[in-house]
Every structure is written in structure tokens, then in C-alpha cells.
Amino acid sequence: NSSKLVMLVLRRMNLTPEILKKSFKFSLFIHLEYLDLSENDIHFIPLKTFFNNQKLKFLNLKSNKLKIINFDEFEHLSSIKFD
């Protein structure tokens, strides 16, 4: 059952913001605690990408092309740490 997923590594998958928005419904993974999106082509985080991920504690965005980070998107995630 995908809703019980706690750790997800999507490193080096050539992910873009468009792919994140269309193909990955992170909100379905309500128990997700660790997410690695490093070494992709993400230049921004689409709105509400992590809307329902209250348990998310670690988000790795290293080696992406991030230009803009809207920290308001993460304010509901009280325990989050970035790498």
C-alpha cells in the first residue's frame, strides 16, 4: 500500500517541476518522512506539492537547479529539514 510509504528516493530521475506536478502525487503518501529528490532538473517546487505530507522530516534537494524556493509551501511541515 503506497499510503504507508515512509521513505522515497527519486535521485537522478531527470525530474522537472512539470513532471513532479503531473506524475507524482506526494499527498497520497501521508506517512512519508524522507524524500530524496537530489540530482534532478528541479528549478522550482510546484504549489501544494507537499500539501498533505505532515510527517515529512527530511527533504533532499541537492544538485538541482533551484532558483526560487517559496518557504510558505513548507510552513505546515513543522519538523522538516532540508539538505
Side-chain angles (χ1 to χ4, degrees), residues 26 29 50 54 63 65 69 74 82:
F26 293 114
F29 306 117
F50 307 111
Q54 303 292 329
S63 299
K65 299 174 182 177
I69 298 176
F74 303 101
F82 297 94

Side-chain angles (χ1 to χ4, degrees), residues 18-49:
E18 295 77 20
I19 293 171
L20 283 178
K21 189 171 187 171
K22 291 180 185 175
S23 302
F24 291 96
K25 304 293 183 201
F26 293 114
S27 62
L28 297 176
F29 306 117
I30 60 172
H31 296 288
L32 189 65
E33 293 182 15
Y34 179 96
L35 178 59
D36 185 345
L37 297 174
S38 64
E39 300 179 42
N40 281 291
D41 292 320
I42 301 169
H43 56 274
F44 73 94
I45 305 294
L47 290 174
K48 302 198 181 224
T49 300

Side-chain angles (χ1 to χ4, degrees):
N1 187 341
S2 63
S3 66
K4 298 203 184 228
L5 185 72
V6 174
M7 180 179 196
L8 182 59
V9 177
L10 298 172
R11 184 181 305 134
R12 294 185 194 138
M13 300 283 294
N14 293 321
L15 298 176
T16 65
E18 295 77 20
I19 293 171
L20 283 178
K21 189 171 187 171
K22 291 180 185 175
S23 302
F24 291 96
K25 304 293 183 201
F26 293 114
S27 62
L28 297 176
F29 306 117
I30 60 172
H31 296 288
L32 189 65
E33 293 182 15
Y34 179 96
L35 178 59
D36 185 345
L37 297 174
S38 64
E39 300 179 42
N40 281 291
D41 292 320
I42 301 169
H43 56 274
F44 73 94
I45 305 294
L47 290 174
K48 302 198 181 224
T49 300
F50 307 111
F51 178 72
N52 202 29
N53 301 109
Q54 303 292 329
K55 295 185 179 185
L56 190 62
K57 293 178 183 172
F58 183 80
L59 177 59
N60 187 347
L61 294 167
K62 280 185 181 177
S63 299
N64 275 288
K65 299 174 182 177
L66 283 168
K67 294 179 182 175
I68 298 171
I69 298 176
N70 182 354
F71 286 102
D72 291 341
E73 285 298 304
F74 303 101
E75 70 182 1
H76 66 287
L77 303 172
S78 59
S79 302
I80 191 140
K81 293 185 183 180
F82 297 94
D83 196 8

